[in-house]
Amino acid sequence: ELTYERLFEAHYIPHKSLHKRSIEDDIRIYRLKIKPTLGHKLLHQINRFEIQALLNSFRDSLKPASCNHILKVIRHSLNLAVEWEFLESNPATKIPLFDEADSKVEHYLNDAELERLLTVLHTDENRTVCQIALFLLSTGCRLNEVLSAQWSDIDLEKKIFLVRASNSKSKRLRPVPLNECAMGVLNQLDTKGKTPLFLNAHTGKPYTTITKVWARLRKQAGLEHLRLHDLRHQYASFLVNSGRTLYEVQQILGHSDSKVTMRYAHLSTKTLQEASN
């Protein structure tokens, strides 16, 4: 009979590597959070109480969403064990997810905050990271979509950025319209003729992360709470507050489910009031 370690490393990882783009996240969660407790156990020895206790042990140190990621990895791996007839039933099936409502905090900038941010992004000496942030703010794209973007993904004539399926969260090709701000960023880049849009000037290689520089930039703007992903939410707020429909927001941001887009519904209150008037 398989141990959980054997199931995950010999079967789950090879299988999921073919189907899941974010398999590295699963592996990291497994090695740091799951393996120390469950790795040595035979599959039939793992019960619901034990899984719940494991999750509860992280409840004070991790956000609900992070705890849920741990549960999802366990659940998916044991589902495959059942499917492959290594296990009769999945003990993680009926364990409820933690409520993530309180952890889904989105920061929106007022006019003064936006002005401070733009001032920093237009003047700071690290031009490439500033251009990346401006491109995020101008397109609503996810960070990995922008860092992996190639010039071959850009149609300057039609003003479209094609996010490849391999880089898209929905795993579908997604066209992103490029407004004048985004086009302005592209026109400032000196990487044309090279493969990626954004190259690290010091290493000559594509960026894998800009977290450290972003921390400095947001502090300089007096916005230490602002995450890179908040730039995507800010772009959505621009769309909604200018009267665009939630359907248009869904299509541009690439949400596969309209329920995800509904988080921006409250932003349209002012627009609805104007329509009512």
Side-chain angles (χ1 to χ4, degrees):
E1 184 180 353
L2 294 179
T3 60
Y4 184 80
E5 178 181 1
R6 178 70 178 166
L7 168 72
F8 200 95
E9 297 180 8
H11 300 283
Y12 180 84
I13 293 176
H15 175 75
K16 281 295 183 179
S17 295
L18 300 174
H19 307 283
K20 190 174 184 181
R21 185 169 52 85
S22 57
I23 184 62
E24 291 300 325
D25 292 337
D26 288 8
I27 296 173
R28 175 180 52 79
I29 290 171
Y30 160 72
R31 287 179 176 163
L32 296 177
K33 310 297 184 185
I34 303 173
K35 183 178 179 178
T37 302
L38 301 182
H40 66 285
K41 288 186 172 291
L42 296 174
L43 293 183
H44 83 272
Q45 294 176 325
I46 300 173
N47 56 51
R48 176 175 175 172
F49 175 82
E50 204 164 20
I51 297 171
Q52 188 71 70
L54 172 64
L55 298 173
N56 291 342
S57 70
F58 294 113
R59 191 64 183 87
D60 293 333
S61 59
L62 298 178
K63 293 180 179 180
S66 298
C67 292
N68 287 341
H69 285 156
I70 297 172
L71 174 56
K72 288 174 183 177
V73 171
I74 295 173
R75 185 181 290 169
H76 291 165
S77 58
L78 293 181
N79 273 341
L80 285 175
V82 173
E83 184 179 326
W84 292 329
E85 299 182 351
F86 295 142
L87 191 63
E88 289 189 9
S89 62
N90 184 349
T93 298
K94 295 183 180 181
I95 297 177
L97 295 172
F98 291 105
D99 186 2
E100 299 181 21
D102 294 336
S103 64
K104 290 185 177 180
V105 179
E106 292 148 11
H107 301 289
Y108 299 102
L109 304 177
N110 58 37
D111 291 344
E113 291 172 330
L114 180 60
E115 185 64 32
R116 294 205 306 270
L117 176 63
L118 290 176
T119 298
V120 170
L121 295 182
H122 284 300
T123 58
D124 190 84
E125 61 182 12
N126 193 322
R127 296 311 311 143
T128 307
V129 172
C130 288
Q131 288 163 336
I132 291 172
L134 285 167
F135 197 74
L136 292 171
L137 188 61
S138 303
T139 61
C141 288
R142 300 177 179 89
L143 179 61
N144 73 293
E145 294 172 345
V146 172
L147 295 185
S148 58
Q150 314 283 329
W151 274 106
S152 58
D153 302 327
I154 304 292
D155 188 325
L156 293 174
E157 184 177 343
K158 294 181 179 178
K159 297 182 179 180
I160 289 176
F161 166 35
L162 281 175
V163 178
R164 283 166 281 143
S166 58
N167 297 327
S168 173
K169 188 174 181 180
S170 64
K171 296 186 179 179
R172 293 198 300 265
L173 184 70
R174 183 173 102 254
V176 176
L178 297 174
N179 54 36
E180 293 306 315
C181 295
M183 291 295 293
V185 172
L186 294 178
N187 290 332
Q188 293 173 18
L189 298 180
D190 58 1
T191 55
K192 290 179 182 176
K194 302 176 183 178
T195 303
L197 286 183
F198 301 99
L199 277 175
N200 188 317
H202 297 292
T203 65
K205 297 179 180 180
Y207 282 91
T208 55
T209 180
I210 60 171
T211 305
K212 187 175 181 179
V213 179
W214 173 250
R216 179 179 63 78
L217 294 174
R218 68 183 183 183
K219 183 177 181 180
Q220 191 176 329
L223 301 168
E224 296 188 48
H225 64 283
L226 192 68
R227 305 163 302 178
L228 279 165
H229 197 69
D230 288 326
L231 300 182
R232 178 172 165 85
H233 298 313
Q234 187 66 32
Y235 176 77
S237 76
F238 292 153
L239 292 174
V240 175
N241 290 329
S242 63
R244 312 319 303 182
T245 66
L246 290 180
Y247 174 78
E248 290 171 308
V249 176
Q250 178 186 353
Q251 296 306 307
I252 292 177
L253 293 185
H255 293 154
S256 56
D257 190 337
S258 60
K259 292 179 182 178
V260 179
T261 317
M262 286 302 295
R263 74 174 68 178
Y264 304 116
H266 69 283
L267 297 173
S268 62
T269 302
K270 181 180 178 182
T271 303
L272 292 176
Q273 287 172 339
E274 292 174 354
S276 177
N277 289 334

